[in-house]
Amino acid sequence: MATAEHCAAARLNMLMSVQASKYGRDPRQSPQLDDNLGMVNAALNVKAAWTPGVVGSLDSVTQLSLAIRDANTQRGFVCLKFWREGCKACAGTKEKFEEAAAQYPHGQFFLVNYNKARDLCRQCGLGVVPAGHIYSSGSLQAALSLGPSSWDAFAERIRLVWEETQTGQVGTLGDECN
């Protein structure tokens, strides 16, 4: 039997997934992928650079694919923050994002600078920044707003994904609440 807290979390998950198109999609599914897709597959034999507890930077679908692959082998997740220089809302969650990276060392946290990673952002179909993506089990689990007023909901989704990856039951949240 599902607890009230569990079902509330499931409803939060469903609400956030409704917003996915506004905050982007998994760029690995994009029809706009360039002709280097074969290079992406070849690059998957290389380990992605990542330091637990530290926010890194990411600017390509290849780097994202490597991070997701590595997270899957470590029962972890990947968390992206899309931001733009000069954006006050983007700057408003900088410290909290860094704190989350330290709090969840099994998660791989990356910044994606909209001005420097335009191809990746275009392939994601981003409509606004700041936005955040959370990937686990090889799939995009959430695409959400990441401004100061929406940080708590984003942090809760990180916690839920972390719990799911630790129990090995990713994607099952809320099944018994329907």
Side-chain angles (χ1 to χ4, degrees), residues 55 68 114 119 137 144 165:
V55 176
I68 291 170
Y114 184 85
D119 287 341
S137 296
L144 311 163
T165 59

Side-chain angles (χ1 to χ4, degrees), residues 87-152:
C87 169
K88 289 182 182 180
C90 298
T93 56
K94 180 182 186 303
E95 288 182 26
K96 291 179 180 183
F97 194 72
E98 291 169 350
E99 290 169 4
Q103 181 179 354
Y104 298 102
H106 285 91
Q108 298 183 33
F109 288 74
F110 297 99
L111 294 174
V112 179
N113 183 331
Y114 184 85
N115 297 325
K116 295 180 181 176
R118 288 188 186 261
D119 287 341
L120 172 61
C121 293
R122 190 176 318 115
Q123 290 169 352
C124 287
L126 285 179
V128 297
V129 293
H133 284 189
I134 304 172
Y135 297 82
S136 67
S137 296
S139 299
L140 178 63
Q141 300 296 318
L144 311 163
S145 173
L146 196 47
S149 65
S150 56
W151 174 259
D152 290 342

Side-chain angles (χ1 to χ4, degrees), residues 4 10 14 25 32 36 39 42 49 57 60 63 65 71 73 91 93 96 98 101 109 112 121 124-125 142-143 171:
M14 290 186 309
R25 63 180 173 270
Q32 300 173 358
N36 295 327
M39 292 173 58
S57 64
S60 71
Q63 290 173 334
S65 296
T73 62
T93 56
K96 291 179 180 183
E98 291 169 350
F109 288 74
V112 179
C121 293
C124 287

Side-chain angles (χ1 to χ4, degrees), residues 69-82:
R69 185 208 57 193
D70 289 348
N72 287 341
T73 62
Q74 299 168 12
R75 289 183 66 183
F77 61 93
V78 173
C79 187
L80 304 180
K81 177 183 176 181
F82 296 91

Side-chain angles (χ1 to χ4, degrees), residues 22-35:
K22 183 177 180 180
Y23 300 105
R25 63 180 173 270
D26 188 337
R28 298 169 303 154
Q29 310 297 319
S30 175
Q32 300 173 358
L33 284 177
D34 58 23
D35 294 331

Side-chain angles (χ1 to χ4, degrees), residues 5-20 134 136 139-144 152-154 156-162 164 169-178:
E5 181 180 316
H6 184 82
C7 290
R11 285 189 293 280
L12 177 65
N13 182 32
M14 290 186 309
L15 174 64
M16 288 187 222
S17 66
V18 170
Q19 300 174 348
I134 304 172
S136 67
S139 299
L140 178 63
Q141 300 296 318
L144 311 163
D152 290 342
F154 188 77
E156 175 63 8
R157 188 63 183 121
I158 292 171
R159 185 189 67 75
L160 292 171
V161 168
W162 176 79
E164 291 172 343
Q169 298 180 2
V170 176
T172 62
L173 182 63
D175 289 349
E176 67 276 14
C177 299
N178 295 326

